[in-house]
Amino acid sequence: MKELLNKWYKNHALVYKILLFLSTTLFIVYLFPKTGKFRFSFEKGKPWQSENLYAPFNFAIKKAQEEIESERLEVENNASVYFDLNTEVKDLVLSEYLKKFNQTFKDTLDLNTNESSLYKKGRSFVDLLYSNGILDTDYNYPNTKPVVLVSSNTIEKQLQYEDLIEIGQLRQRLDDHFSESPSADRNKIISLFFDIIKPNITLNESLTQNALEEELSQISQTRGSIDKDQLIISKGQVVEDEEYIVLNSLKSEYESQVWNTANYNWVLVAYTLLVALALLMLLLFLRKYRMEVFLNNTKVTFIFFNVVIMILLTTLVISYNSQYIYVVPLCILPLVLKAFFDARLGLFAHVLTVLLLGFIVPNSYEYMFLQIIAGIVTILTVSELYKRANLFISVGQITLIYIIAYFAFFVIQEGQVTSLKWETFGLFILCGLATLFVQPLIYIYEKVFGLVSDVSLLELSDTNTKLLKELSNKAPGTFHHSLNVANLAEASANEIGANAMLVRVGALYHDIGKMKNPTYFTENQSTGINPHDELSNRESARVIVNHVIKGIEIAKKHNLPDRVIDFIRTHHGTSMVYYFYMKEKAENEDLKLEDYSYPGPKPFSKETAILMMCDSVEAASKSLKEPTTTKINDFVESIIDKQMENGQFLNANITFKEIQSIKKVLKHKLANIYHLRIEYPE
């Protein structure tokens, strides 16, 4: 059991990567749709590229969305409107009419009221009004709109909307009906009716809506069917409207209805294999080309996390509305990975993410082409992300590439531009604006994952930071030396295409350990007193070597990033404190090399190798007496060649050609520092 635990502990980093790989794979597969994917691609108005297609099973032909919408509109226009009819209102109005009529005309009529012609005319008008009914308000339905009158859940009458009387029509109907009556009687009877008339019809909204929904539900989503083995389309045949509808029906049926439990499980297995294969390629890339990233579980987790976030956002948008697919700022992925790592890793992860999304997005080829091109443009254009203007310029270029590529695809598919969907361009602009969120996102990632980007490096390069201020106060000579090394290292990094900002920051902080015992280093000895005169050679060597250990302790105390601490660890590699070693060797030949050697490790990147060269050359250049161009050239060659002979650059991915370029830069810079003129031949 103990051996098993020890074995697990020794391989815990690998175990973690395996668990991360499996969990990421399963989560991505969980996000994917669990259906098969139609294996044929086709476009309306384009020839069918595959072999003759026969129906693999019986399926119904689905109506086009426009056809369904047309039928829905027709049903809505012809659907009946249900009104509640109050049959008691008419009796109440007649009773009120008799009462009001007797009160109004009792002095002017000689005959019995019931036999009065005016009364009978009014009585017939009431019958006319309530023959169909009076609406409680104007509903603005078309005159031909079917109407159903309902009383006590019983249909009383079916008619058209124009057969009902609106309140606004009452005055006109009164004038027409009593047009032949004497003027005085007409005004009185009209006034009487305005007092007694009451509406008896009100809209029944719930019944109307239920009836409409029932009729809409009866609309068929299909028209006709295709039998198994029936020829759907021949090779080379143009996909016209009818063929396009049939093919879409087959695709929809294939992806949604033909999958039983066994099919579902096979699809799940297939998705898992493909996703696992893509993520495995990412891990293998890290292991082969970015070993320092592969060995750091935090960085591997960070890369996988960003890939998953992009897939999650895209699947959420697709589930909501696939038309907004281009709003997802997928180019944030290469931007972030380039900011923390490098362009090659950023592009590789971006391409793999786009390939995975090709399973679930509509028009997958168009989507993948646009996103890969945009990712390439992102990598090519974005440099020095800490400069705000650069980010805005790059986002503008990315948006422009999106628009140009989409326009080209649309013209290829449609053959014209009149029906161009301009709103899609708006989606690309929104995508560009969302991409600007990468700046605060980088800051959040730095805090959560403990990483460092060029933005943080820019802040650390400020010589007014607390730590560099302390260095300048306690060890002014070391501070001046660090500034000179930073300038040399930055110029060298720019020459060979290394990270100039990173190497500059590393140079500024590489000697902070000298703050503990500043007077033990010659650049800080302004009084002429050398404390090493009171120490043995071994003790002096230990003091010199310990400035690396002290520097690491100070850096960790001030929360400097690991990328910066790496420069403190490696700027002397495993070299020797040669002066005290040779001094002791002259007196005592029985020496231990480790007592006079730095603990290492050796430089393991271009940037750390550059710092070792520049630090050694700048420090040793102070010993040059009456420097000339020839002396400087030989001096630089001698120091760097010695470091190469000692194998200090074996772990760094730096070439001989790049080292020669760095030598050239150092020679030129030192010549400028010592104000040397070019030696012209006599």
Side-chain angles (χ1 to χ4, degrees):
M1 183 66 181
K2 186 177 180 181
E3 292 180 1
L4 183 63
L5 290 174
N6 289 335
K7 188 175 182 181
W8 181 87
Y9 180 76
K10 290 179 181 178
N11 298 284
H12 71 280
L14 180 60
V15 172
Y16 176 83
K17 290 183 181 68
I18 294 173
L19 293 176
L20 177 67
F21 170 78
L22 293 176
S23 59
T24 305
T25 301
L26 294 176
F27 183 73
I28 293 175
V29 172
Y30 172 76
L31 295 175
F32 280 4
K34 307 304 185 298
T35 62
K37 191 170 181 65
F38 194 57
R39 64 189 180 94
F40 300 104
S41 60
F42 56 91
E43 296 176 19
K44 189 176 180 181
K46 297 296 178 62
W48 177 256
Q49 300 294 334
S50 304
E51 297 297 326
N52 294 353
L53 179 62
Y54 296 90
F57 45 77
N58 298 333
F59 66 93
I61 302 173
K62 293 190 174 183
K63 295 178 181 176
Q65 191 60 36
E66 297 80 8
E67 188 176 353
I68 295 175
E69 288 299 323
S70 176
E71 291 185 15
R72 285 179 61 89
L73 185 61
E74 184 179 357
V75 168
E76 289 173 358
N77 290 336
N78 296 329
S80 298
V81 182
Y82 287 78
F83 288 92
D84 290 324
L85 174 64
N86 190 338
T87 55
E88 298 177 356
V89 171
K90 180 179 179 181
D91 295 334
L92 293 174
V93 170
L94 285 174
S95 175
E96 190 69 18
Y97 171 65
L98 178 60
K99 180 180 177 182
K100 289 284 187 181
F101 191 89
N102 286 333
Q103 291 175 356
T104 304
F105 295 99
K106 61 182 178 180
D107 297 330
T108 59
L109 297 173
D110 297 332
L111 299 173
N112 185 281
T113 301
N114 289 326
E115 298 174 358
S116 166
S117 61
L118 185 61
Y119 173 82
K120 291 180 180 179
K121 199 165 190 177
R123 179 71 166 73
S124 66
F125 185 66
V126 172
D127 292 336
L128 178 64
L129 289 177
Y130 290 100
S131 61
N132 293 325
I134 302 174
L135 295 165
D136 58 341
T137 186
D138 297 345
Y139 291 99
N140 297 321
Y141 284 116
N143 287 337
T144 57
K145 186 73 171 175
V147 170
V148 178
L149 300 182
V150 180
S151 176
S152 301
N153 295 325
T154 303
I155 296 177
E156 297 286 342
K157 190 179 294 187
Q158 296 183 7
L159 58 164
Q160 292 183 334
Y161 183 76
E162 64 181 353
D163 297 328
L164 304 178
I165 298 174
E166 297 177 342
I167 292 294
Q169 301 173 347
L170 188 58
R171 177 71 192 197
Q172 183 62 43
R173 287 180 176 263
L174 283 167
D175 287 340
D176 293 343
H177 193 78
F178 295 101
S179 60
E180 297 179 359
S181 301
S183 177
D185 291 343
R186 184 170 66 252
N187 291 335
K188 288 181 181 181
I189 196 73
I190 289 174
S191 177
L192 181 151
F193 271 103
F194 270 111
D195 290 338
I196 66 171
I197 294 300
K198 296 178 181 178
N200 68 331
I201 295 177
T202 56
L203 178 64
N204 190 323
E205 294 184 7
S206 62
L207 191 58
T208 301
Q209 186 62 31
N210 291 338
L212 176 60
E213 290 177 358
E214 184 178 352
E215 291 190 42
L216 289 175
S217 66
Q218 295 176 0
I219 295 177
S220 174
Q221 301 292 314
T222 62
R223 55 173 179 82
S225 62
I226 299 292
D227 296 328
K228 183 179 180 181
D229 297 328
Q230 181 178 336
L231 178 64
I232 297 176
I233 192 168
S234 303
K235 183 177 181 179
Q237 183 180 346
V238 176
V239 181
E240 301 291 355
D241 289 343
E242 185 63 28
E243 290 81 6
Y244 186 74
I245 293 172
V246 174
L247 287 170
N248 269 328
S249 300
L250 175 60
K251 179 180 178 181
S252 176
E253 188 76 14
Y254 187 87
E255 293 180 349
S256 62
Q257 295 183 15
V258 301
W259 301 103
N260 54 30
T261 304
N263 295 135
Y264 175 87
N265 292 334
W266 277 113
V267 170
L268 211 59
V269 169
Y271 269 138
T272 304
L273 288 175
L274 290 173
V275 173
L277 189 62
L279 295 180
L280 181 62
M281 294 303 103
L282 182 55
L283 282 176
L284 292 176
F285 174 86
L286 294 176
R287 189 174 185 277
K288 185 172 179 63
Y289 298 106
R290 299 293 182 272
M291 180 57 76
E292 72 279 5
V293 177
F294 180 79
L295 295 176
N296 190 318
N297 282 342
T298 301
K299 293 179 179 179
V300 175
T301 304
F302 173 74
I303 295 170
F304 275 58
F305 175 78
N306 277 275
V307 171
V308 169
I309 285 294
M310 288 298 108
I311 294 175
L312 176 62
L313 284 176
T314 306
T315 52
L316 288 175
V317 170
I318 290 175
S319 62
Y320 173 70
N321 190 335
S322 60
Q323 292 182 353
Y324 300 124
I325 187 69
Y326 288 113
V327 173
V328 180
L330 208 63
C331 287
I332 282 182
L333 178 61
L335 275 174
V336 167
L337 296 184
K338 183 180 179 181
F340 288 112
F341 305 109
D342 61 84
R344 190 176 177 185
L345 174 56
L347 182 60
F348 192 86
H350 176 74
V351 170
L352 285 180
T353 304
V354 173
L355 290 176
L356 289 175
L357 290 174
F359 291 120
I360 60 174
V361 296
N363 299 322
S364 56
Y365 178 76
E366 174 187 314
Y367 176 86
M368 292 166 63
F369 184 90
L370 261 65
Q371 295 294 1
I372 290 175
I373 288 294
I376 294 172
V377 171
T378 302
I379 293 300
L380 293 177
T381 60
V382 176
S383 59
E384 299 178 329
L385 193 59
Y386 54 85
K387 295 181 180 179
R388 290 171 294 179
N390 287 2
L391 179 61
F392 281 95
I393 293 171
S394 297
V395 167
Q397 292 172 334
I398 293 167
T399 305
L400 181 62
I401 290 299
Y402 270 131
I403 291 174
I404 292 174
Y406 174 78
F407 174 80
F409 262 104
F410 186 88
V411 172
I412 290 172
Q413 293 172 356
E414 301 295 331
Q416 43 83 27
V417 296
T418 54
S419 60
L420 191 64
K421 298 178 181 178
W422 296 100
E423 61 271 15
T424 307
F425 294 158
L427 298 181
F428 292 135
I429 294 173
L430 288 176
C431 176
L433 294 175
T435 306
L436 294 175
F437 183 69
V438 70
Q439 280 284 20
L441 189 63
I442 287 174
Y443 176 79
I444 294 170
Y445 281 154
E446 286 179 334
K447 299 304 178 185
V448 174
F449 290 92
L451 301 173
V452 59
S453 68
D454 285 352
V455 179
S456 294
L457 292 176
L458 179 64
E459 296 172 356
L460 291 171
S461 67
D462 184 3
T463 55
N464 290 315
T465 59
K466 182 180 178 181
L467 188 54
L468 291 180
K469 277 283 188 183
E470 186 180 353
L471 177 63
S472 66
N473 291 330
K474 291 184 177 180
T478 299
F479 178 71
H480 181 69
H481 160 72
S482 298
L483 286 177
N484 289 337
V485 174
N487 292 332
L488 292 174
E490 185 177 15
S492 300
N494 284 325
E495 182 69 19
I496 66 170
N499 191 332
M501 178 61 68
L502 176 61
V503 76
R504 178 176 181 81
V505 173
L508 288 173
Y509 290 90
H510 79 283
D511 270 345
I512 56 175
K514 292 181 179 180
M515 287 192 294
K516 292 294 184 181
N517 297 298
T519 56
Y520 284 85
F521 301 90
T522 55
E523 67 265 24
N524 300 311
Q525 295 172 359
S526 58
T527 61
I529 299 173
N530 190 348
H532 288 287
D533 294 339
E534 301 176 2
L535 301 177
S536 67
N537 293 324
R538 184 178 177 182
E539 289 173 333
S540 295
R542 186 183 299 113
V543 171
I544 299 298
V545 168
N546 279 346
H547 88 272
V548 173
I549 308 300
K550 299 294 183 183
I552 295 172
E553 292 174 356
I554 294 171
K556 289 186 175 180
K557 181 180 178 181
H558 287 80
N559 296 319
L560 290 184
D562 287 340
R563 291 175 78 184
V564 177
I565 296 176
D566 287 340
F567 288 91
I568 302 174
R569 288 193 179 98
T570 61
H571 73 278
H572 285 295
T574 57
S575 62
M576 297 175 58
V577 185
Y578 195 72
Y579 175 80
F580 291 108
Y581 172 75
M582 295 304 295
K583 190 177 177 182
E584 180 67 19
K585 190 175 182 180
E587 302 171 2
N588 180 16
E589 294 187 0
D590 186 17
L591 300 179
K592 291 182 179 179
L593 291 179
E594 58 267 21
D595 292 337
Y596 296 87
S597 300
Y598 287 96
K602 296 176 181 179
F604 48 79
S605 66
K606 287 182 182 180
E607 289 76 16
T608 51
I610 289 171
L611 179 62
M612 172 178 272
M613 294 182 232
C614 295
D615 179 44
S616 301
V617 168
E618 202 284 332
S621 68
K622 298 293 189 292
S623 63
L624 280 176
K625 296 177 181 179
E626 299 180 0
T628 63
T629 302
T630 303
K631 280 185 177 181
I632 288 176
N633 290 350
D634 294 341
F635 166 77
V636 171
E637 291 284 348
S638 173
I639 289 179
I640 296 180
D641 286 348
K642 187 176 181 180
Q643 291 174 338
M644 293 173 64
E645 289 173 7
N646 292 333
Q648 296 298 325
F649 306 136
L650 291 178
N651 296 335
N653 58 335
I654 191 167
T655 65
F656 286 113
K657 182 179 180 180
E658 289 170 335
I659 292 175
Q660 290 301 117
S661 299
I662 292 169
K663 287 180 181 179
K664 183 179 178 182
V665 170
L666 293 177
K667 293 172 185 177
H668 178 71
K669 288 289 183 181
L670 287 177
N672 288 337
I673 291 172
Y674 291 106
H675 307 290
L676 297 178
R677 295 182 180 273
I678 299 173
E679 297 179 358
Y680 293 99
E682 295 181 359

